[in-house]
Structures are given as C-alpha cells and as structure tokens.
Amino acid sequence: MKAYLSGNAACGDGGWPRTAQGGPFYLSLAFFSRILDDPMRFGMPQGLFRAESDPECGFGCIAHNLMHYCGKGYKMKRALITGITGQDGSFLAELLLGRGYEVHGIIRRVAMEVPEHRLWRLRHIMDKLILHAASLESFASIFRVFNLVQPDECYHLAAQSFVSYSFEDEFSTINTNINGTHYVLAAIKEVCPNCGFYFAGSSEMFGNAEQTPQNEHTPFFPRSSYGISKLGGFHLTRNYREAYGVHAASGILFNHESPRRGLEFVTRKVCHTAARIKLGLAKELRVGNLEARRDWGYAGDYVQAMWLMLQQDSPDDFVIATGETHSVKDLIELAFSHLHLDWKDWVVVDKRLYRPSEIHELRGDYSKARKQLGWEPGMSFEELTRTMVDQDFEQLKNARS
C-alpha cells in the first residue's frame, strides 16, 4: 500500500530535509507507519495525526493532515553516498533509509563483478539501494551520476583511507583523496548547487598537534600522505562553501570502529586475531607501536553526526570524537582478557609495522558538536572492543563448524 503526496517543498524542522528538489513521490506504508509511531522524530507535533473530529477518517484523513502541515506536501529526500560499500557508508545508508530517504551510492565497477566480496556490508539492504558505477578518478563519470541523481544531500566518504598504505603509495592516495573530492564538489556546483555536501575529514589532519585535546581551532600538522590529502579536501570544501555558496560541511572524525571495519585496521586486526588464537587458528599477533594513543569511538554513532551536520541552516566544520584516549596496548589487553587470554603470551612487537612518522596521541574535543548538533558518543571503548571480539569469535566459530 502506498500513499501519493505531491509537492516540492520541504517543511518543519529536525528530521525533515534542509532543501528539496521537488516533484511528487510515493510514500510507503512502512515509512508512513514510522511517522505515525514517532512524529516528533520527523519534526511534527505529536497531535498532528489525531483525527479527533472523525475517528473513522483513517489513512486518507491522516495524509490530508500531513499535506496540510507541510504546505505543499512532503518530498522524499534523496541522498548520494560515495564510499557506500565501506564501514561508514553502510551505517549511513541504514540511517538514511530509516529516515525515509531514497539512497543512492557510487561504487567502483569492479564491485559489481565481485559483489559477495565488495558489497558484503550492504547485503541486508541491497534491495533498497540504487547503485551507480563511477570512478573518483574520472570527472566525467562523477558528473554523469550527479546529473542523473540530482541529490538533496551528498555524503563524500570515499577515499584511500588506510594510513599505512599511504606511505607506500603517496601518489594514488593524494590523487584519489584530493582530486576525487574536487570532482564531487565541482559536479555539485554545476548540476545541483542546492545539494548539501558532507566531507569526511580526519583526525589525521592534526598529526602531531601542539595541543591536546584537539578542536576546530587546533592548527593542523599532518604526518602522512593520507593526512595531507584529507587536509587538502578539507580546504577545498571550505573554499566551495565560502566562494560558491555550496552548503558544505566537514566532519573531522576521530577513529571510529565496528565489526564492519576492514581487517587491515589495528582495532579489527587485534579483535579478529585474538578470536583466531582462542579458536586455535592463529599462534601470534604482530603489531607495531604499543604506546600509540587514539580516540576510538563507534562508527554507528558517528554517522548520526554526519547527518546532523547537513540539517543545520548554516554549514560548518565539527570535531567528532569521544574525548577519551586509549593506547594500542589498552586495546590488546581488553580484547585478549575478554577471551580469557594473557596477551603477553601471544603478542609480538614488529618494528617493521611502525609508521615512518608516528603520531603519539590524538584526542578530540567535541564540545562544539555537543552544543550545536546535540550530538554525544554512545558506545564506550570497552563495549565497542568486546562487541568486535564477540562478533569475530562467533563468525569464525560458525565458519569452522
């Protein structure tokens, strides 16, 4: 069952879109039910759908009230996510679908050829997504997608994001992360200038900063090609905001993890290897600097902040973090003890895994996000680590049986 609502204006506050491109759409009964269950989540007064004068008026009366509240009607928001196949992209796609968005994603053509490997994070929502093959190295392909989709919001998450690899291949890291961001911004400016743009910045832009914790006013001092490339994208985003009026915001996100993290990242590497050792599938864990300290949060919490940034009347830049710092050693101790293992019996420090230029401590001050966005981190470091260990352990055990 679907309800047809026509119109071209966004309305209300909170969960409604900042802008809309216009045109009629079909509102699914499932999404309509979510509005009925929690109208305040979508910026509507609680009594909007109470048909007090005619309790029998039913669905049509409710739809009429919805259209009356919105003036010209409600328009489904359309979002485009680059990097939708990654950890953050999959969490963000879930969030946006839950809020009634039409969700589009840009993927590399090779992902279409090997979907079981490239698209595993999206498997449970694939039938709800619209995917487009394009390359961040080709402005023509990016332009084509934006011209076709005409998104209301764009979340630019795609990047070469593994810091250690950026030391091995500086050229492709800088090319993808800077030029790719430039292509996306240029396409928005040309074909959908009212589209909100979110840029995924990184705490790696701070590098060995002169102050701890780091906030939006802390000078940047990146120590890797990845950090440098992200800083370039950050300044491109700011320039398009100030020079061309693009509604462009940057999130300076500190490390955020989940069971969907790639195995090349230290958090997932530690949790996955600990589970393998417990099951007798591995004999050691090799790591680099045990004393490196990071501010680790939960990726599912951080995508909420991304969305909130694009709902603001004026775009801005925000640090997203937990405000707490832990060492790699802390992470290892927690993961191994959760499985009743003594980490000292299994961990080998390998000097070859040290970074050429190490960052000693990153810790974010998210006061601005708390004050202006109403955002707070949810999952603690301890809960996050245990969750990652448990999921890896269960998956490995099930695969073995």
Side-chain angles (χ1 to χ4, degrees):
M1 182 177 184
K2 295 181 178 179
Y4 177 74
L5 301 178
S6 64
N8 57 7
C11 58
D13 300 306
W16 291 95
R18 182 182 54 78
T19 61
Q21 300 294 333
F25 80 110
Y26 284 98
L27 178 64
S28 71
L29 182 57
F31 179 55
F32 203 95
S33 298
R34 290 199 293 272
I35 299 177
L36 298 183
D37 291 339
D38 189 7
M40 292 298 288
R41 176 185 177 191
F42 296 88
M44 300 180 181
Q46 286 283 3
L48 177 64
F49 301 118
R50 293 175 186 165
E52 295 174 351
S53 59
D54 185 2
E56 303 299 323
C57 73
F59 192 86
C61 182
I62 293 172
H64 173 79
N65 288 348
L66 175 61
M67 294 179 68
H68 176 75
Y69 178 76
C70 294
K72 295 182 180 179
Y74 175 74
K75 191 265 181 191
M76 179 180 281
K77 296 165 281 187
R78 186 178 300 143
L80 177 61
I81 304 171
T82 73
I84 194 171
T85 62
Q87 169 189 255
D88 293 3
S90 63
F91 278 115
L92 181 60
E94 289 175 354
L95 173 82
L96 296 176
L97 288 170
R99 290 189 173 276
Y101 280 69
E102 177 183 302
V103 179
H104 295 249
I106 290 179
I107 63 174
R108 289 177 289 183
R109 190 167 298 279
V110 67
M112 299 282 199
E113 300 169 359
V114 196
E116 64 278 3
H117 174 63
R118 305 279 184 173
L119 305 179
W120 65 271
R121 296 180 180 92
L122 303 175
R123 192 177 300 127
H124 60 298
I125 54 173
M126 278 291 292
D127 61 332
K128 301 178 179 67
L129 303 173
I130 304 170
L131 302 179
H132 307 265
S135 170
L136 286 179
E137 298 177 357
S138 165
F139 177 67
S141 70
I142 294 297
F143 185 92
R144 175 185 58 79
V145 173
F146 275 86
N147 194 42
L148 173 68
V149 175
Q150 293 289 316
D152 300 306
E153 296 172 6
C154 170
Y155 297 85
H156 180 44
L157 311 183
Q160 192 300 100
S161 58
F162 185 42
V163 178
S164 295
Y165 179 73
S166 74
F167 288 105
E168 300 174 16
D169 189 351
E170 297 175 344
F171 294 100
S172 66
T173 298
I174 289 175
N175 179 53
T176 300
N177 294 359
I178 295 182
N179 289 344
T181 301
H182 197 184
Y183 294 158
V184 171
L185 283 165
I188 288 173
K189 173 176 171 285
E190 292 300 321
V191 302
C192 47
N194 292 323
C195 174
F197 174 77
Y198 169 82
F199 172 70
S202 169
S203 59
E204 291 286 331
M205 300 188 308
F206 290 121
N208 279 329
E210 296 179 354
Q211 70 180 63
T212 301
Q214 296 88 33
N215 60 32
E216 293 80 4
H217 302 291
T218 303
F220 297 116
F221 186 31
R223 302 290 286 161
S224 66
S225 296
Y226 172 75
I228 292 167
S229 69
K230 281 295 185 179
L231 185 55
F234 174 84
H235 285 303
L236 274 168
T237 301
R238 177 175 286 179
N239 184 63
Y240 268 73
R241 180 171 70 215
E242 297 174 354
Y244 305 116
V246 175
H247 191 98
S250 290
I252 307 173
L253 272 59
F254 282 63
N255 296 65
H256 44 289
E257 318 298 322
S258 78
R260 301 181 193 179
R261 197 54 141 154
L263 288 170
E264 68 271 25
F265 293 89
V266 67
T267 46
R268 182 76 194 287
K269 177 181 178 180
V270 167
C271 295
H272 187 261
T273 306
R276 284 175 55 82
I277 289 172
K278 183 66 175 180
L279 291 167
L281 301 174
K283 296 182 178 180
E284 66 179 22
L285 167 65
R286 287 187 170 269
V287 294
N289 185 4
L290 290 176
E291 302 307 319
R293 304 185 68 84
R294 295 293 185 270
D295 184 329
W296 281 300
Y298 174 53
D301 294 334
Y302 284 40
V303 298
Q304 295 273 354
M306 298 177 190
W307 178 80
L308 286 168
M309 289 180 208
L310 292 194
Q311 312 315 307
Q312 306 307 301
D313 292 333
S314 299
D316 207 344
D317 308 320
F318 295 89
V319 164
I320 304 299
T322 70
E324 299 180 2
T325 185
H326 301 273
S327 68
V328 174
K329 182 180 175 182
D330 294 335
L331 169 68
I332 292 171
E333 287 181 335
L334 180 57
F336 276 73
S337 65
H338 185 57
L339 294 172
H340 307 289
L341 297 170
D342 185 344
W343 70 274
K344 295 177 183 177
D345 295 334
W346 306 97
V347 173
V348 177
V349 175
D350 188 339
K351 297 290 185 180
R352 294 173 299 177
L353 298 177
Y354 276 59
R355 291 187 185 182
S357 54
E358 185 59 83
I359 296 174
H360 304 296
E361 180 176 6
L362 288 172
R363 177 160 58 92
D365 174 4
Y366 67 95
S367 301
K368 180 179 176 181
R370 181 176 58 229
K371 181 179 180 181
Q372 295 188 26
L373 304 179
W375 181 86
E376 294 273 1
M379 189 178 294
S380 69
F381 170 73
E382 291 77 15
E383 183 183 359
L384 172 61
T385 304
R386 289 192 293 266
T387 298
M388 293 176 67
V389 170
D390 287 343
Q391 185 152 329
D392 272 327
F393 183 83
E394 288 302 316
Q395 287 180 344
L396 288 166
K397 185 175 68 172
N398 293 336
R400 191 176 65 170
S401 61

